[in-house]
Amino acid sequence: MGELVAATDLRVQPDHHMFGIGDQTAGFGGRAPLPGRGWLGVGSSAVLIGAAEDLVCPALRLEYWDGEPPTGPPDHEAQETTSLLLPTGRLALDEITGGAVPDVFVLPPGVYALRITCWNRERVRREFEALCRGGLDWDGPEFEAARAGLAGQERYLFQFWLQAPTSALLGSTGVLIHPGYDRLGITDSAARVTLIPPAEAEPLTVGPSSVLIPMEHQHGRPALRMESWNGPPPAPGPDHPGKQLRLHLPSGRLDLLHLPAGPAGVGEISAGMIPRIFDLPPGDYELRLTRRGSEPGEDARKERQLIQFWPIR
């Protein structure tokens, strides 16, 4: 049986009957779907909870265990166990339009089992509904005192325990690609690329410090995310096979190039350049390029490219 390592207690302000917990640098696919008619939405790196009421603040407890915790008392209203990838381990509290509260809990990076247990959801919903129908002035002290008395009665317990450690995600950036370009280029600023060959069907390196990526532009503006890891990131799933390359980055200052399908000279390269879009320590890197799936609530036809860098040891 596991032992409790760390814990923290929070009060949550739901919005649109929701709040969430997740790795605060979650990337493509990391966002959780809306709970819908249920009470829980699960992404790869975050969860969304369907709270009973917006105007009553639930209590939230986060726990980190060194193994699977005890099942707990049997009087809970609902309980689910899932798995999350937490590439930084830095958890943020998502209060929807209220914004995110960063670093509410910090764990070692890894893949975690997460057991979520809740109490008193329906009771708080019924009692608050009765309060609203009771004829009290919503701006009066009696209503406010009764509402305050319900705060913290709806309770959620999040229990994390490590299933597998992973490399750590160190930094990331994202950009929407301009329409009308057939390729992207990622190049080290010190490489001084002056001529780029015509388009190929697959990603390819141009010299030791640049890579070209074909784009499909199926629908809308493609999204590009770049990540820096301290070691090999978790392997992509079978639905998202990746292409792996090696680059030498003499300065570590990366420029993004928007390129036409044909040969590109200095003029075309300069016209489509966004300089210094991402910084890495100089050195030799593995690069994994992966086409990713859609985010919850977004058009599945939108193209998403993920580039992950990690140093060659």
Side-chain angles (χ1 to χ4, degrees):
M1 194 65 66
E3 296 289 336
L4 180 63
V5 177
T8 191
D9 292 286
L10 305 167
R11 283 291 175 92
V12 178
Q13 179 59 66
D15 181 58
H16 290 75
H17 290 267
M18 290 183 294
F19 70 90
I21 286 287
D23 195 283
Q24 59 197 40
T25 57
F28 291 147
R31 288 166 42 190
L34 299 180
R37 293 182 178 274
W39 67 279
L40 178 63
V42 179
S44 63
S45 297
V47 297
L48 274 178
I49 300 294
E53 287 296 337
D54 272 357
L55 299 180
V56 178
C57 294
L60 171 63
R61 180 174 173 85
L62 306 175
E63 295 181 349
Y64 171 38
W65 291 73
D66 64 4
E68 183 174 355
T71 55
D75 61 342
H76 57 264
E77 186 171 329
Q79 186 177 80
E80 294 286 347
T81 300
T82 187
S83 180
L84 293 182
L85 168 64
L86 304 178
T88 70
R90 297 166 54 198
L91 300 186
L93 170 63
D94 182 2
E95 295 185 325
I96 318 303
T97 61
V101 182
D103 292 323
V104 295
F105 206 47
V106 179
L107 303 169
V111 177
Y112 282 82
L114 168 60
R115 180 190 297 153
I116 305 173
T117 310
C118 62
W119 292 265
N120 302 328
R121 288 167 45 84
E122 286 303 311
R123 180 174 69 79
V124 168
R125 184 189 61 77
R126 289 194 305 268
E127 292 185 12
F128 186 72
E129 184 176 306
L131 174 62
C132 292
R133 293 177 176 177
L136 294 177
D137 179 2
W138 280 37
D139 294 322
E142 293 182 6
F143 182 92
E144 180 57 31
R147 185 177 74 89
L150 291 175
Q153 298 299 309
E154 181 184 356
R155 295 188 293 122
Y156 295 88
L157 172 63
F158 283 47
Q159 296 172 302
F160 296 88
W161 65 98
L162 186 65
Q163 293 181 309
T166 66
S167 300
L169 175 62
L170 304 177
S172 63
T173 192
V175 64
L176 289 176
I177 304 305
H178 295 304
Y181 292 94
D182 299 288
R183 295 180 292 167
L184 294 181
I186 302 294
T187 184
D188 190 284
S189 297
R192 303 188 185 281
V193 176
T194 58
L195 181 63
I196 293 177
E200 297 282 347
E202 293 291 331
L204 76 156
T205 54
V206 180
S209 304
S210 305
V211 62
L212 301 181
I213 305 165
M215 305 298 291
E216 296 180 359
H217 289 277
Q218 293 179 343
H219 185 77
R221 295 176 64 181
L224 172 68
R225 177 178 167 93
M226 303 171 70
E227 297 178 346
S228 169
W229 293 72
N230 68 353
D239 295 336
H240 306 292
K243 176 84 170 180
Q244 199 158 310
L245 305 167
R246 287 192 169 195
L247 288 183
H248 173 66
L249 304 179
S251 74
R253 299 187 300 271
L254 300 184
D255 299 334
L256 174 65
L257 311 179
H258 295 76
L259 299 167
V266 173
E268 291 85 0
I269 293 171
S270 299
M273 178 185 291
I274 301 177
R276 202 163 183 176
I277 193 171
F278 201 43
D279 283 1
L280 298 167
D284 295 315
Y285 284 84
E286 295 279 0
L287 176 157
R288 180 191 294 152
L289 173 66
T290 311
R291 293 182 184 271
R292 304 297 296 184
S294 60
E295 291 286 306
E298 292 186 347
D299 195 314
R301 296 172 295 174
K302 184 174 181 179
E303 186 175 1
R304 295 165 182 81
Q305 298 276 4
L306 172 64
I307 301 178
Q308 297 168 305
F309 296 89
W310 65 96
I312 298 173
R313 304 297 185 185

